[in-house]
Amino acid sequence: MDLNFTDTEAQFRAECREWLQANVPTGLPSGDTHEGFALHLEWERTLFDARYAVVSWPEQYGGRGATAMEWLIFEEEYYRAGGPQRVTQNGIFLLAPTVFDFGTDAQKDHILPRMARGDDLWAQGWSEPGAGSDLAGIQSKAVRDETAGGWRLSGQKTWTTRGAFCTHLFGLFRSDPTAERHRGLTYFLVPLDADGVTVRGFGRLDGDEGFAEVFLDDVFVADDAVLGGVDQGWSVAMATAGVERGLTLRSPGRFLAAADRLVDLYRSVGDAADDRLRDDVVKAVIDAEAYRWQTFLTVTRMLEGESTGSESSMTKIFWSEMDVRIHATALGLLGPDAELDGPWMKGYQFALSGPIYAGTNEIQRNVIAERVLGLPRK
Amino acid sequence: MDLNFTDTEAQFRAECREWLQANVPTGLPSGDTHEGFALHLEWERTLFDARYAVVSWPEQYGGRGATAMEWLIFEEEYYRAGGPQRVTQNGIFLLAPTVFDFGTDAQKDHILPRMARGDDLWAQGWSEPGAGSDLAGIQSKAVRDETAGGWRLSGQKTWTTRGAFCTHLFGLFRSDPTAERHRGLTYFLVPLDADGVTVRGFGRLDGDEGFAEVFLDDVFVADDAVLGGVDQGWSVAMATAGVERGLTLRSPGRFLAAADRLVDLYRSVGDAADDRLRDDVVKAVIDAEAYRWQTFLTVTRMLEGESTGSESSMTKIFWSEMDVRIHATALGLLGPDAELDGPWMKGYQFALSGPIYAGTNEIQRNVIAERVLGLPRK
Amino acid sequence: MRFAFTEDQLAFRDAVRDLLANECPPAVVRAAWEGAGRAPGAWSALAEMGVLGAMAPESAGGLGLSVLDLVLLAEEAGYAALPEPFVEHAMVAVPVLPDPAAAAAGEVTATAAIGAPFVPFGADADLVLLDDDDAVVCTARGGFTARPIDGVDASRRLATVTFDEAEIVGDAGALAAAFDRGALGTAAQLIGVTRRMLDLTVDYVKDREQFGVPIGSFQAVKHHLADARIALEFARPLVYRAAWSLATGDPDAAVHVSMGKSLASDAAELTSTKTLQAHGAMGYSFEYDLHLFMKRAWAWAGSWGDAPWHRARVGRAVL
Amino acid sequence: MRFAFTEDQLAFRDAVRDLLANECPPAVVRAAWEGAGRAPGAWSALAEMGVLGAMAPESAGGLGLSVLDLVLLAEEAGYAALPEPFVEHAMVAVPVLPDPAAAAAGEVTATAAIGAPFVPFGADADLVLLDDDDAVVCTARGGFTARPIDGVDASRRLATVTFDEAEIVGDAGALAAAFDRGALGTAAQLIGVTRRMLDLTVDYVKDREQFGVPIGSFQAVKHHLADARIALEFARPLVYRAAWSLATGDPDAAVHVSMGKSLASDAAELTSTKTLQAHGAMGYSFEYDLHLFMKRAWAWAGSWGDAPWHRARVGRAVL
């Protein structure tokens, strides 16, 4: 055990900190609005130009080949500097790991650099009106078009985050109509400007147009739009949904920064006499530290070749419920001002999505019980 | 609406208070030990002699014909005076309402006065090793003996509260071996000194011998041991298990008194600086008041002929979880002394049984969802 | 001891319930978010029915009723998430105004805020009641400046209000009583909006299927909603009891109000979290109605004293 | 940054695990409740293996190890609910005794209490370390009076200790360090006993059937145990990290200990409630083993500072 950062790590941290503190934009509007999105995209390009967009990727795709520990350090510094949520995150954190594992060389060469530069903006197309927590209930279809050498996609995707601002969509489609549930699905990559695609943005809880419905009506895509094998979509999607998702989608840096902001708020408005809120602030600090060190423990295990797996369900529950508690504590500190449409109230509403998306926490608790503890499914 | 007590009610309260304050014994050992049980029985007989054992029963059976409101008042005064848990409660509160509803006149005349005087001490025989939350899984059998004019009972009951100290048992037995689940059960009344009965006491969480296993090996009982109809046991048992159970088993007086003791503890050991515990004490006071007024609301509805029903599941969850919180708060106030085997730690262990017995709170939440809110069973 | 409302009180409640079901469906609440705000149809119908002036004496065109008569009506206003200053007008202002006739008739709309940094419908009302120097003051349109400020529930139309002219309409005692009426009425509205979130969610989870069954058949969803139902069940009696205590001048009425408001706030916040979670992504959509009620619940839970504030007040009395 | 134990540390842990599985099954814990108390077989085997003196220098017959080497062993002592003053002897006393040779060899048993009203195994130990006037003092058998006092966990054998003679063995700094070692070791024991409650319960709910299926297939039971598992998952890293900080003399080590102890106490208390509930009536029986671990969890959760105490200490450092 050595919990000191190596000289290399410490130097990497110092570099990141210096650059981020000099460059992180302040006061950006929400990236889930049309105006805000454009400004966020500028920031993404600035990150890319400084090779901070995708630090853990190989250099050939725009990264620095940073280690997992370095990536965690970058994330800590990114949020510490007040960096905004990444509008490119669904591509970088959900699609890219899958491309690395299952993409052809041609796919990697085409998709990854464009994603890193923000040329292509990827939206996820998992959910459908009838398939939320139950992803295997997907109805959207892919029909083989031998003549044209590709596939014709039809159906409806929904709850597509920032779908109205993105250029591409990745998602599962039912390519074998005779197969049931999670069989017979294929993972497709779809340009949103293709003929037959209609995107309708709609508002989420906080009123921002952060969601979209995507309607696909006989949309043609060529064979190279398939990621991984035909009819292998479920295993392709799931292979990178575990550890990677838990780790990369919500790095500890975000919650360390949120806990820091909460401490600042406590100092500025906290009534020293109210020990209940004081205790809640301390709990938030401890929880964020616990999440940080659990991540270091997990990453060490990964780096040493241990498999982790279903533990990502614990991670998802922990960060999402911690995030709600941090924001609820802040609203308590604000007292009557909590009702105002300020950053903590906005953040609270955003936090409330955490226990719902990427598999509800109810589903995640089932996964922990069944796969980590070994309880019977039925 | 009139939330003032009537003159009659106020006078009844004054009478109860005066008598109880003069007569309630202090420092009784636990009623769940052999020595303690005998002392508690003396107290029960004192209550009976003063006609306070069963105030709501008709006078002919040893009561005063008190109204439900008066009964609540008696309970408030009983616990306020520091009266101990009633060792007769399972007979008085679980069996007696069923006898009133389903018993023959002969059964009422024989069973009720003896129960009120503490001559017969009734233990409940619901649970079996294989039938806890799932009462319909009862395996104990009742076989008709036409020749002898009665029934032969065999099987095993367990978790029988104070079974080692009681004289009689009431419970369900499978009288129709071809019927499944909750059909074909009969409600029997069994003397524990009958041939073929073996009672083995065993310890509960706090070490007191509060439980017993009751083994029945071909135990003969006559026809008048059946309460309600043959094969009608489930509906007989359930008819009085709802409102009555919620209301009579755990009257608000008990929790008002517990909240008062918690306030006293706060005043004696509470560190005025610890607002979290202070807030928890206030919550306990408010919860106990809420339980009291919800009960007055419910009793008013009952008295005016409205049916209540499955709401008793809410009552059971509320009081049992409130009781745990009250005791946990007290342990917090005690700090390092909490670990000592004192009254609050004893009470905490007792409180922990609340969410388990009389139908686990998980089952009760299902009942609320299905019967109060109308959600689908499957 | 009889803890039940009279037939008259229940009939009045039913009439208001029907009125609001017709005049204030979710579309009206949604319109108040987006357009000019408020629900003029419902408001004038309530005036006509006598609800807005119910607490004014008959001599001023009122019905001479008490908070005990109004509490069930506030609950219905909560159920509808009525985008009007119902409690502030009918329960806070009308009983303290020296001449409540115009307010009773609904010719002028009053709002109020005591010990709070902003006023609901502050820019829309004709009269604003505020606390100033331990007294209730009333400032009329023309005598005050209202600056709109964005709240999480846009249909509350918050504003900060500063006045040039105001009339003292109540002393310190009247101020305390007005605050307690506001807290009580808001607690009743919270009971109503909690019921609404629960009703909406029960309907949704019976209908919505995942894994081939209604999601309401999953034990986790059942338990979320059972918890909300329990919180509602035990908050409601304390709100009704507080209404009785205020109406009859019980010396502990303020403590009773605080008990009711704290449980009602907690029940509403718990229910908003549980019902949102039970909905999954659907509840997170702006186009779906749940958020209208949820944001109102958040706003009311924090108004007229949040749950910790009221518990602290109870603590000062009982500890 | 490498957050993992060495092969040697894990091998030592495995050896202690095997030893305790053999020498301290639940029957031994139960016997300690009833009879003379303690687990002499396990205790002498631990002495023989060098565990009790591990933190003594080699010159005193020890292994010269640090709390970082001991933390996993304390976790195993917790898993076994070893009825001995493991942490007090091996982690609190041995490192501070001027001549630890006899304690290192297990010839004498030491116990300790700092800032606490009673001492575990106070009447059984040969040496008792206490805080007195901001120093660590050591009193030896014959020099102190121990009065047994009933705790909820009888196998902890609590006693109040008053002494006639005692030797100062550490200054204020040593006192603070000794307290932190006690809190850290107890946090590690809590991690262990939490794992034990969970293991026991997982086995039970897979096996026990109601309504024709294992109760572990009900979503409510699954979620109870998932919550406990999550609490364990996130408490453990902070305990290990605190061990590193203490072992390496990090200036914030005391804060790190408090973070670990608070989460470990909370995880143990949550797990005791959740596992008892998942068992139903079975867990409530004295004859079943769960309560042995549950009561130990309660006792340790409150010892060496309970969770609110440690959070308050963190608060003084970070707020």
Side-chain angles (χ1 to χ4, degrees), chain B residues 129-134 159 181 200 202-207 211 336-337 339-341 345 348-350 352-353 355-356 360-363, chain D residues 117-118 149-152 156 158 208-212 220 224 273 276-277 280-287 291 294-295 298-299 303 306:
Chain B
S133 289
D134 181 16
W159 314 116
R181 304 284 302 157
R200 185 185 78 90
F202 64 99
R204 50 175 205 201
L205 191 60
D206 61 7
F211 286 142
D337 284 342
E339 187 185 350
L340 296 183
D341 198 26
M345 181 50 96
Y348 178 63
Q349 292 175 72
F350 185 73
L352 287 175
S353 70
I356 295 170
T360 64
N361 285 9
E362 288 75 17
I363 301 284
Chain D
F118 20 74
I149 180 167
D150 287 338
V152 65
R156 290 245 296 161
L158 298 180
R208 165 79 172 169
E209 296 202 350
Q210 291 280 280
F211 304 100
H224 283 323
T273 310
L276 178 66
Q277 187 68 22
M282 181 59 80
Y284 206 77
S285 155
F286 196 84
E287 296 180 2
H291 80 100
M294 190 164 62
K295 289 170 184 168
W298 294 343
S303 300
D306 63 10

Side-chain angles (χ1 to χ4, degrees), chain A residues 276, chain B residues 258-285 324-340 344-345 348, chain C residues 319, chain D residues 117-118 269 302 306-309:
Chain A
R276 179 172 280 272
Chain B
D260 276 348
R261 286 198 304 277
L262 184 64
V263 169
D264 289 343
L265 179 68
Y266 176 82
R267 289 188 182 134
S268 68
V269 310
D271 175 351
D274 189 342
D275 280 355
R276 179 172 280 273
L277 283 168
R278 182 181 171 94
D279 195 33
D280 287 337
V281 173
V282 173
K283 276 185 179 166
V285 169
V324 173
R325 288 193 301 272
I326 288 174
H327 286 85
T329 302
L331 295 180
L333 287 168
L334 288 170
D337 284 342
E339 187 185 350
L340 296 183
W344 283 108
M345 181 50 96
Y348 178 63
Chain C
L319 292 186
Chain D
F118 20 74
E269 292 194 327
D306 63 10
W309 188 93

Side-chain angles (χ1 to χ4, degrees), chain B residues 106-118:
Chain B
Q107 284 176 321
K108 289 182 198 166
D109 290 343
H110 180 76
I111 294 168
L112 296 172
R114 294 184 57 81
M115 181 192 294
R117 271 198 305 274

Side-chain angles (χ1 to χ4, degrees), chain C residues 49 56 88 178:
Chain C
M49 193 183 266
E88 289 76 7

